Amino acid sequence: MTPEAFPDRLAAEVRARRGALRLSQRDLAELAGVSERFVRFVEQGKRSVQLDSLLALLGTLGLELRLGTRTSSAALALAGEPALEVDPAAVDPAPRDPQP
């Protein structure tokens, strides 16, 4: 998932879970100890929210935020591991007719 897509995905998941639990935004805010305005911001996909408030909101909904190790070349380089390099000359994109 791209960083640009994350807030929209988070918003959709929070809205769906709140709906499934039949909670209003006000009810969720009270249960999580955050403002109703904060709940609206999350559900609208606001790009910048407080992490502690977000975690409280997710915990109230029974959701969690997970982290994982990226396998991109940039992440591997940061970890000090060599990136897998492919020699384009070694890749045969199409089968050839057998030689007579």
Side-chain angles (χ1 to χ4, degrees):
M1 175 182 324
T2 65
E4 296 80 21
F6 177 76
D8 294 331
R9 169 86 187 274
L10 177 66
E13 292 290 335
V14 168
R15 276 192 311 271
R17 182 70 175 156
R18 182 178 60 79
L21 294 173
R22 296 187 172 146
L23 294 171
S24 68
Q25 287 181 336
R26 174 177 282 149
D27 293 337
L28 176 56
E30 288 176 10
L31 290 169
V34 300
S35 70
E36 187 176 347
R37 182 177 183 220
F38 181 81
V39 174
R40 277 195 313 273
F41 282 165
V42 172
E43 290 190 358
Q44 291 169 355
K46 186 172 189 244
R47 302 293 193 240
S48 176
V49 294
Q50 276 192 257
L51 184 58
D52 59 341
S53 297
L54 177 61
L55 293 175
L57 186 72
L58 294 176
T60 300
L61 291 170
L63 299 173
E64 63 183 13
L65 185 62
R66 292 187 185 189
L67 299 177
T69 304
R70 295 179 120 184
T71 56
S72 70
S73 296
L76 291 173
L78 287 173
E81 298 177 23
L84 178 63
E85 293 185 21
V86 177
D87 179 6
V91 177
D92 189 4
R96 297 181 186 152
D97 291 331
Q99 297 289 329

